[in-house]
Amino acid sequence: MKSFGVHLFFLFFLAASASVTVQAFTGTYGINYGRIANNILSPDEVVTLLRAAKIKNVRLYDFDHSVIKAFSGTGLELVVGLPNENLRDVSANADHAMDWVKDNVQTYLPDTQIRGIAIGNEVLGGSDEFSGFLLGAVKNVYNALDKLKLSHVVQITTAHSQAVFDDSFPPSSCVFKDNVVQYMKPLLEFFSQIGSPFCLNAYPFLAYMYNKDQIDINYALFLPTEGADDPKTKLHYDNLLDAQIDAAYAALENAGFGKMEVVITETGWASHGDENEAAATASNARTYNYNLRKRLAKMKGTPLRPKNVVKAYVFAIFNENMKPGATSERNFGLFKPDGSISYDIGFHGFKSSSAESSLPPLKEIRAASWIGSCSIILTMTTALLLQF
């Protein structure tokens, strides 16, 4: 009887939502659940960890059934991933797309709250290996959802890196690269028809690492700074993430999609890196992620889009010890593999962490913000007095 009641409620939910645009991200703060590691907690333990942290919105990079089952009945909301290597098959065959949706999404509804499907990740802007299959995969998966009457329950998206942009500073000058436009424009046209947002993986950490001479690290860390001005719009930016988001809005507007929402699907700061990654420290990572949480909790927009509340999924739950590349790639986790915190930003891990003893108290980050603000005000006041 209970099972019948749950499914009856689900049918009513479908009917009620039929005229409403689906939202995969219902909060402002979410997290990415990457699993390229051989030493992390089980999915059931991860659920316990996330519920304790009160993080409701979770993104996966695949469709592992043991993970999806672990989220059943938890109230946590999932975005599952269709990996890049599956795009060719799903794009070429609508029946395969239907089978994929039935096996990996429909089967788990409504017990697991699957709110979205991420079709590929950072497909455009790099090699063109999968670029030609992205739109076809998006359309086939959406059509499968629509035929199953799930298109108003599960949202379709795809995340882009900043490699799709040209001239991203100042924000108003940002446009899509010429070699991306041929794939991007028809994708945006379809997304505008079905109400999907533009999803961006934005890393002030990387922007700072590549442009240390031009970017003040305080600007990247949400700390008090003189900031930056956009000469065309006359808008002022006090942090780099807002500027990156508005650059995306400018590119969308230039392409004819000025009403499309931008959602940050990845952002974070590495806590450890190689010798040439000096900014990858636990102190900087904690400062960025603590201030990011504060920024998102304000539920406000950006200078260019003040009414569009910024939403972001932080990267990531864990340090992933099997990720290839630079050392920083394996050290973006808010938590260590055993569930203890990597550094304190207000979450509680499964175990106490020895890493905390080497870092100054969290209140010093708050104090630094207050002192920095006072310093800027004092500097401006002094400059004004000197004019008289």
Side-chain angles (χ1 to χ4, degrees), residues 6 23 40 45 51 64 144 224 231 242 271 275 288 340 379 388:
V6 169
Q23 293 288 331
I40 59 177
E45 292 171 313
R51 294 183 77 178
D64 185 280
D242 277 7
S271 60
E275 288 185 7
Y288 180 81
S340 61
T379 300
F388 294 95

Side-chain angles (χ1 to χ4, degrees), residues 30-150:
I31 199 162
N32 286 278
Y33 182 7
R35 295 180 299 107
I36 306 177
N38 60 9
N39 60 350
I40 59 177
L41 299 178
S42 71
D44 289 328
E45 292 171 313
V46 170
V47 166
T48 301
L49 189 67
L50 294 177
R51 294 183 77 178
K54 298 182 180 179
I55 300 175
K56 184 176 74 169
N57 297 279
V58 185
R59 289 182 80 246
L60 307 179
Y61 291 92
D62 57 18
F63 49 93
D64 185 280
H65 291 184
S66 67
V67 175
I68 297 173
K69 288 177 183 176
F71 282 81
S72 176
T74 64
L76 303 181
E77 299 181 355
L78 280 186
V79 173
V80 298
L82 178 71
N84 292 357
E85 55 267 26
N86 294 86
L87 296 181
R88 184 193 300 266
D89 178 53
V90 171
S91 174
N93 195 311
D95 290 336
H96 289 183
M98 176 62 78
D99 291 341
W100 189 91
V101 171
K102 285 181 177 179
D103 293 343
N104 303 294
V105 178
Q106 186 188 40
T107 299
Y108 298 99
L109 293 170
D111 299 329
T112 299
Q113 294 188 33
I114 299 175
R115 298 291 194 189
I117 303 173
I119 310 294
N121 186 53
E122 299 187 348
V123 175
L124 306 181
S127 71
D128 285 336
E129 183 180 2
F130 303 109
S131 298
F133 309 118
L134 180 58
L135 181 59
V138 164
K139 286 184 174 181
N140 280 347
V141 171
Y142 176 81
N143 289 337
L145 288 171
D146 203 38
K147 288 177 181 178
L148 296 170
K149 302 189 184 304
L150 295 174

Side-chain angles (χ1 to χ4, degrees), residues 41-355:
L41 299 178
S42 71
D44 289 328
E45 292 171 313
V46 170
V47 166
T48 301
L49 189 67
L50 294 177
R51 294 183 77 178
K54 298 182 180 179
I55 300 175
K56 184 176 74 169
N57 297 279
V58 185
R59 289 182 80 246
L60 307 179
Y61 291 92
D62 57 18
F63 49 93
D64 185 280
H65 291 184
S66 67
V67 175
I68 297 173
K69 288 177 183 176
F71 282 81
S72 176
T74 64
L76 303 181
E77 299 181 355
L78 280 186
V79 173
V80 298
L82 178 71
N84 292 357
E85 55 267 26
N86 294 86
L87 296 181
R88 184 193 300 266
D89 178 53
V90 171
S91 174
N93 195 311
D95 290 336
H96 289 183
M98 176 62 78
D99 291 341
W100 189 91
V101 171
K102 285 181 177 179
D103 293 343
N104 303 294
V105 178
Q106 186 188 40
T107 299
Y108 298 99
L109 293 170
D111 299 329
T112 299
Q113 294 188 33
I114 299 175
R115 298 291 194 189
I117 303 173
I119 310 294
N121 186 53
E122 299 187 348
V123 175
L124 306 181
S127 71
D128 285 336
E129 183 180 2
F130 303 109
S131 298
F133 309 118
L134 180 58
L135 181 59
V138 164
K139 286 184 174 181
N140 280 347
V141 171
Y142 176 81
N143 289 337
L145 288 171
D146 203 38
K147 288 177 181 178
L148 296 170
K149 302 189 184 304
L150 295 174
S151 60
H152 293 285
V153 178
V154 181
Q155 186 181 64
I156 299 293
T157 60
T158 188
H160 304 286
S161 75
Q162 291 191 298
V164 300
F165 299 135
D166 206 2
D167 299 325
S168 60
F169 187 82
S172 61
S173 68
C174 188
V175 295
F176 291 110
K177 288 181 177 176
D178 290 340
N179 64 338
V180 168
V181 170
Q182 60 176 318
Y183 302 111
M184 185 66 76
K185 205 148 190 183
L187 181 68
L188 295 176
E189 286 172 357
F190 185 69
F191 277 175
S192 67
Q193 292 169 17
I194 65 174
S196 290
F198 180 86
C199 292
L200 176 66
N201 296 343
Y203 286 90
F205 167 72
L206 296 177
Y208 172 74
M209 289 292 294
Y210 297 142
N211 301 276
K212 295 176 188 175
D213 295 335
Q214 289 79 39
I215 297 176
D216 178 1
I217 193 168
N218 290 335
Y219 182 60
L221 292 172
F222 299 99
L223 291 174
T225 175
E226 292 182 2
D229 296 308
D230 189 314
K232 180 179 178 181
T233 62
K234 309 302 181 185
L235 294 173
H236 178 76
Y237 291 89
D238 59 16
N239 71 83
L240 181 52
L241 183 64
D242 277 7
Q244 291 177 324
I245 295 170
D246 276 355
Y249 276 123
L252 288 168
E253 191 163 355
N254 180 269
F257 302 93
K259 294 182 179 180
M260 187 171 288
E261 180 188 18
V262 174
V263 171
I264 299 301
T265 36
E266 286 183 21
T267 191
W269 198 286
S271 60
H272 185 59
D274 294 320
E275 288 185 7
N276 63 342
E277 298 177 306
T281 67
S283 178
N284 285 342
R286 183 174 65 164
T287 299
Y288 180 81
N289 282 298
Y290 174 75
N291 287 332
L292 174 67
R293 283 189 72 196
K294 285 204 310 179
R295 165 70 180 85
L296 297 175
K298 293 177 181 177
M299 299 186 69
K300 69 174 188 175
T302 60
L304 187 63
R305 293 287 189 272
K307 294 182 179 179
N308 289 12
V309 175
V310 174
K311 305 173 184 178
Y313 290 91
V314 68
F315 186 85
I317 299 178
F318 295 116
N319 291 333
E320 298 173 72
N321 68 335
M322 296 181 70
K323 287 195 76 174
T327 297
S328 60
E329 288 287 338
R330 295 179 287 282
N331 289 279
F332 275 89
L334 299 187
F335 298 91
K336 296 179 180 180
D338 64 359
S340 61
I341 55 175
S342 296
Y343 38 79
D344 181 16
I345 62 168
F347 296 134
H348 299 289
F350 280 169
K351 302 176 182 179
S352 61
S353 174
S354 59

